[in-house]
Amino acid sequence: MLAKSLALSLACAALTTAQSSDLPSFTASVAPAAETVAPDATSANVALFEVEAVQLTDAVVADIQSNPDLAEYASLFEFEDSSNSTLSARTRRARRSLRCKTMPGDALYPSSLVWGIFDLLLGGALEKIVPIGSPCYKKSEYNNYNAAKCASLVANVGVEEIYYDDNGALMNPLYYGMTCPIPASGNYANGTCTQGGYSEYAVKVENVAQIQLAVNFARTLNLRLVVRNTGHDYNGRSVGKGALSIWTHGLKDIQYVKNYKSDAYSGPVFKVGAGVQGFELYQAADKYGVSAIAGICPTVGVFGGYSTGGGHSPLMQLFGVGADQVVALEVVLADGRFVTVTPSVNSDLYWAMLGGGGGTFGIITSAVVKVHRKVPVTVSTWTLLTSDTVTEDKFWEAVEFFWDSFPTYNSAKTYSYFTLMKLAPGTYMWSMSPFFATDMTVAQYETLIKPFYQKCAQLGITLNANTTYYDRFYPAYESTFGTLDFHVGGAGSTPGNRMLPTDNWANAQIRNQTFAALKNSVEYTLLTNVYHQHPADDQNKGINSVNPAFRNEESMVVTVNLITDETRAGWKAGNQQLQTQILGPLRDVSPNGGTYGNEADISEPNWQNAFWGKNYPRLQTIKAKYDPNMLFYVHHGVGTEGWAILDNDIVGVQSTDGPLCRV
Ligand SMILES: Cc1cc2nc3c(=O)[nH]c(=O)nc-3n(C[C@H](O)[C@H](O)[C@H](O)COP(=O)(O)OP(=O)(O)OC[C@H]3O[C@@H](n4cnc5c(N)ncnc54)[C@H](O)[C@@H]3O)c2cc1C
Ligand SMILES: *[C@@H]1O[C@H](CO)[C@@H](O)[C@H](O)[C@H]1NC(C)=O
Ligand SMILES: *[C@@H]1O[C@H](CO)[C@@H](O)[C@H](O)[C@H]1NC(C)=O
Ligand SMILES: *[C@@H]1O[C@H](CO)[C@@H](O)[C@H](O)[C@H]1NC(C)=O
Ligand SMILES: *[C@@H]1O[C@H](CO)[C@@H](O)[C@H](O)[C@H]1NC(C)=O
């Protein structure tokens, strides 16, 4: 609880009323506003983590209210449903009716004294966000030019770790407005670096009380709020100009519960902190001799954007998508309250949060997820290039034979990920990386793949496939997906995708048309990544709001557009090409398909239907119930129709570099 004997030095108040991005330093300290409650099992049927037992309660808020030095600021930290608010209903209404979220520079934006008090109550968890690229610039408000640091950033621009270890960075710089990119070389020093669409402050979360304080503070002051985990999001949804960012990366607990039991599920589970990344979950599962579900990229966070957006995985054909694994969540809601979400407690939120997307309904602090038996895997990789012997026609005939076999491969409960690339006119590459044959020995896999091998032999193609058996998931994953370079950090390409349903393999004609749309994508993109994938879903249909198009897909096609001209005009033109020339034909050929929101292009049209299909109206109703004042805004998130970020088209596609306003 808050220390009663607080002696806030008022001298500092006079010192720091001027607006400044630096936090004031106080001569006296205030104990963090938090209380440790008993962590007993919640309705999730697992006890809270220690960090979740540290909470903001009504008693703590009452303490702030009754503290003579803090009373004046108490209203900023009160819950939405406070029976005893020190802020008049009129003031609340007035703030909420403002057209835009309050930005730095606005008269109503908190002074640095107020930020300082907030930081004291947080126990020092508030940090200023300085753009990650800023050490590369001589002229900037940050005054932190450092040639050696810049050289290291330039050398590591594609390394995910530099972004997720930073308190505000985004891996894809286009979407915050490119106002301070890590340059491609060290010669950028004369350029400019500004905050752009990056958030202003981060709360580096160590406990639940800090999240609740931040939610109450942002809601009461009409501030823009974002939630950020790793910064992987393709569309900039974990950053925002002028925003207070809640950074969950530090929530790293993992607990194994061998004999979990609830109404919905009995069996082994992990209780996992919201900051845990794919590789950490995979390693924990390997240690306990089980299998867990996460993405192909080891550093994506599992319970930020991934599971909430659906989540595809090399084990989905056996156990369902990421969202299907979750049996309970612990969540801070827009009203500041900390709640448990299960199929029977807050069941509407359970349905909505698993599929409805990250940063939209609340802030997850942990998830209870199913884990599964050990899975043996045979992996196979190959690279096929057009050549004197492998003509263009033969190349495509081989690819098409493989493509036509997707329903067979999916029925056999396997998965694959491969890249198709046009290297030069008439020159193509197919890189299988890898075929992931779960529950199969090499012999079983070779039986499945035999017709394709025979086709290749017939065409005079030698595949030189490298096929290896592993007795369990993690080493199979590590030796294949774990070695891929995911090319983060640049703005020279933008992705979009289409999930293609079984319909598209129904007869020779539609298969042919669909394949033509795929070839078209390869013709016009930097590269096209293709998955054969189909989730085991019979028991999962309807339990959550995962895109129905996920449930009947045979393939996901991720089109990665090349941007050669990195200017506003170049990005705009590239985006139009992606939408019309590349994604257009894939959409036209798959009226019953959909789009995976987590890897979608920022300008996806009719996104409500593409991301959620028939689930959208119910999602909208639940969003309106839990977040009626749009505390949690993300671009093309559920219920955001009346809002937009007014960025003056700074990079030719929607960025976060502008105020968030009602439109
Ligand atoms: C290189 C790369 C590889 C990828 N591979 C895969 C893959 O194999 N399979 C797949 O399905 N997807 C994949 N994705 C897409 C991935 O699922 C999304 O980018 C996802 O949004 C990342 O989530 P994050 O929490 O790590 O990222 P962040 O950018 O930090 O957050 C993403 C979204 O989640 C919200 N969020 C973050 N933390 C929380 C929280 N605690 N509570 C509520 N909301 C929160 C944010 O507000 C934001 O809207 C990949 C992406 C990249 C860049
Ligand atoms: C209500 O607020 C006052 C200060 O305004 C405080 O002293 C009191 O403890 C609060 N009561 C409750 C029940 O929170
Ligand atoms: C930066 O500007 C200085 C002087 O204004 C000039 O001498 C230098 O060559 C410039 N550097 C680059 C990389 O353009
Ligand atoms: C074959 O693939 C495995 C990964 O499964 C890899 O470790 C090995 O180096 C590869 N061998 C060759 C010859 O490429
Ligand atoms: C498929 O399309 C090609 C042209 O792209 C055509 O030559 C071929 O006959 C078509 N096959 C079928 C079965 O429709």
Side-chain angles (χ1 to χ4, degrees):
M1 287 236 211
L2 191 70
K4 293 259 157 107
S5 59
L6 162 112
L8 186 66
S9 161
L10 291 179
C12 67
L15 252 170
T16 56
T17 39
Q19 288 211 3
S20 136
S21 57
D22 295 325
L23 296 173
S25 50
F26 293 92
T27 53
S29 61
V30 177
E35 176 180 17
T36 302
V37 305
D40 342 30
T42 68
S43 337
N45 289 5
V46 188
L48 294 174
F49 287 137
E50 258 174 65
V51 296
E52 293 177 312
V54 181
Q55 298 177 9
L56 184 74
T57 57
D58 287 317
V60 177
V61 173
D63 258 12
I64 304 175
Q65 289 169 336
S66 59
N67 184 309
D69 287 321
L70 290 178
E72 187 187 338
Y73 305 101
S75 70
L76 307 181
F77 306 102
E78 288 163 0
F79 292 99
E80 173 75 6
D81 58 5
S82 166
S83 56
N84 181 6
S85 176
T86 54
L87 194 68
S88 75
R90 215 175 115 211
T91 309
R92 277 173 199 247
R93 270 199 310 273
R95 287 200 187 140
R96 274 182 194 154
S97 62
L98 291 170
R99 190 170 80 92
C100 300
K101 296 283 178 182
T102 301
M103 298 288 283
D106 290 353
L108 287 173
Y109 192 73
S111 68
S112 58
L113 170 66
V114 172
W115 284 107
I117 288 165
F118 177 39
D119 186 36
L120 289 179
L121 296 174
L122 289 169
L126 190 66
E127 298 182 349
K128 178 76 181 80
I129 292 170
V130 173
I132 186 171
S134 58
C136 292
Y137 298 83
K138 280 183 182 155
K139 282 181 294 189
S140 81
E141 63 186 272
Y142 313 101
N143 264 322
N144 62 346
Y145 176 73
N146 180 324
K149 251 193 194 153
C150 178
S152 155
L153 288 166
V154 169
N156 292 298
V157 66
V159 177
E160 292 135 44
E161 197 173 355
I162 67 167
Y163 304 93
Y164 63 71
D165 281 347
D166 183 88
N167 68 8
L170 194 64
M171 293 187 197
N172 195 322
L174 180 59
Y175 303 112
Y176 75 83
M178 290 296 283
T179 58
C180 188
I182 298 174
S185 69
N187 292 338
Y188 242 69
N190 293 342
T192 57
C193 162
T194 59
Q195 197 80 9
Y198 269 141
S199 305
E200 201 68 21
Y201 289 103
V203 176
K204 187 176 180 182
V205 172
E206 289 148 2
N207 61 52
V208 165
Q210 293 164 338
I211 300 178
Q212 296 176 288
L213 280 164
V215 162
N216 289 347
F217 184 76
R219 189 191 60 248
T220 315
L221 287 168
N222 186 46
L223 301 180
R224 171 122 164 68
L225 183 80
V226 299
V227 193
R228 179 174 168 277
N229 185 12
T230 64
H232 258 286
D233 196 89
Y234 278 118
N235 297 160
R237 292 174 295 184
S238 40
V239 306
K241 188 181 190 65
L244 172 62
S245 171
I246 297 181
W247 186 28
T248 56
H249 180 60
L251 299 174
K252 290 288 190 186
D253 290 309
I254 302 181
Q255 182 194 348
Y256 182 54
V257 182
K258 195 168 175 206
N259 297 305
Y260 178 82
K261 211 168 159 31
S262 74
D263 294 346
Y265 173 74
S266 300
V269 295
F270 278 131
K271 177 175 161 75
V272 189
V276 167
Q277 291 164 277
F279 71 95
E280 293 164 320
L281 190 64
Y282 285 149
Q283 283 169 3
D286 200 49
K287 180 175 138 195
Y288 288 102
V290 294
S291 304
I293 306 296
I296 68 167
C297 168
T299 66
V300 165
V302 195
F303 304 103
Y306 174 84
S307 300
T308 55
H312 60 90
S313 145
L315 293 177
M316 68 194 272
Q317 65 279 12
L318 302 179
F319 308 122
V321 296
D324 300 339
Q325 312 312 313
V326 178
V327 296
L329 296 167
E330 303 290 353
V331 182
V332 176
L333 297 177
D335 64 6
R337 298 294 178 182
F338 185 47
V339 301
T340 300
V341 170
T342 76
S344 46
V345 180
N346 294 308
S347 56
D348 53 353
L349 272 178
Y350 177 83
W351 181 84
M353 290 188 75
L354 298 168
T360 298
F361 297 97
I363 302 168
I364 295 169
T365 65
S366 72
V368 177
V369 289
K370 297 177 193 173
V371 291
H372 307 273
R373 63 181 166 83
K374 213 167 107 173
V375 176
V377 188
T378 289
V379 297
S380 189
T381 55
W382 64 78
T383 300
L384 180 64
L385 282 159
T386 49
S387 65
D388 290 346
T389 50
V390 183
T391 60
E392 209 181 318
D393 283 351
K394 285 182 178 176
F395 176 91
W396 285 115
E397 213 176 317
V399 177
E400 187 166 9
F401 188 93
F402 188 83
W403 172 268
D404 286 349
S405 311
F406 279 12
T408 308
Y409 300 156
N410 282 321
S411 301
K413 296 205 170 286
T414 62
Y415 181 95
S416 76
Y417 172 76
F418 58 91
T419 299
L420 293 166
M421 203 169 174
K422 177 179 161 185
L423 302 174
T427 308
Y428 296 91
M429 187 189 73
W430 176 18
S431 173
M432 173 57 66
S433 52
F435 195 112
F436 207 73
T438 44
D439 284 335
M440 285 189 180
T441 60
V442 171
Q444 286 167 324
Y445 166 71
E446 283 182 342
T447 304
L448 176 70
I449 202 80
K450 192 172 175 192
F452 170 66
Y453 279 5
Q454 283 171 340
K455 177 76 184 178
C456 289
Q458 214 180 73
L459 292 166
I461 291 174
T462 314
L463 265 191
N464 283 327
N466 172 4
T467 305
T468 314
Y469 172 82
Y470 295 93
D471 72 343
R472 60 194 205 281
F473 172 79
Y474 191 58
Y477 166 87
E478 257 204 313
S479 67
T480 55
F481 295 113
T483 64
L484 299 178
D485 178 353
F486 291 94
H487 299 286
V488 305
S493 62
T494 55
N497 75 81
R498 189 72 181 166
M499 292 192 275
L500 300 169
T502 303
D503 304 7
N504 284 71
W505 277 260
N507 58 56
Q509 195 190 351
I510 185 73
R511 272 202 308 273
N512 200 359
Q513 286 165 0
T514 312
F515 192 70
L518 174 74
K519 275 178 81 174
N520 173 75
S521 169
V522 178
E523 209 49 39
Y524 292 109
T525 49
L526 167 64
L527 49 90
T528 300
N529 291 324
V530 185
Y531 298 82
H532 89 254
Q533 56 175 224
H534 179 84
D537 56 8
D538 292 346
Q539 73 281 25
N540 296 322
K541 274 187 183 131
I543 66 159
N544 54 37
S545 52
V546 166
N547 193 340
F550 237 127
R551 302 284 181 209
N552 37 22
E553 63 166 345
E554 295 288 344
S555 176
M556 181 177 305
V557 174
V558 179
T559 60
V560 183
N561 204 19
L562 175 66
I563 311 282
T564 43
D565 171 21
E566 292 194 30
T567 63
R568 170 159 64 174
W571 284 306
K572 203 181 203 61
N575 184 257
Q576 260 154 20
Q577 192 206 29
L578 181 61
Q579 283 303 327
T580 54
Q581 201 161 17
I582 298 161
L583 289 170
L586 283 164
R587 279 190 204 111
D588 291 346
V589 79
S590 62
N592 297 325
T595 302
Y596 181 37
N598 273 346
E599 298 180 56
D601 176 56
I602 194 135
S603 318
E604 177 78 24
N606 305 320
W607 49 267
Q608 295 90 337
N609 188 53
F611 298 168
W612 292 293
K614 66 175 171 36
N615 291 337
Y616 193 69
R618 186 174 171 211
L619 282 167
Q620 236 179 340
T621 305
I622 297 170
K623 169 72 173 174
K625 173 178 167 189
Y626 287 96
D627 187 18
N629 298 300
M630 193 53 78
L631 184 67
F632 299 120
Y633 171 91
V634 293
H635 178 71
H636 55 212
V638 169
T640 55
E641 288 80 4
W643 293 80
I645 295 168
L646 309 179
D647 73 344
N648 281 322
D649 201 24
I650 180 172
V651 286
V653 297
Q654 179 68 60
S655 77
T656 60
D657 189 6
L660 172 59
C661 299
R662 288 184 168 85
V663 288

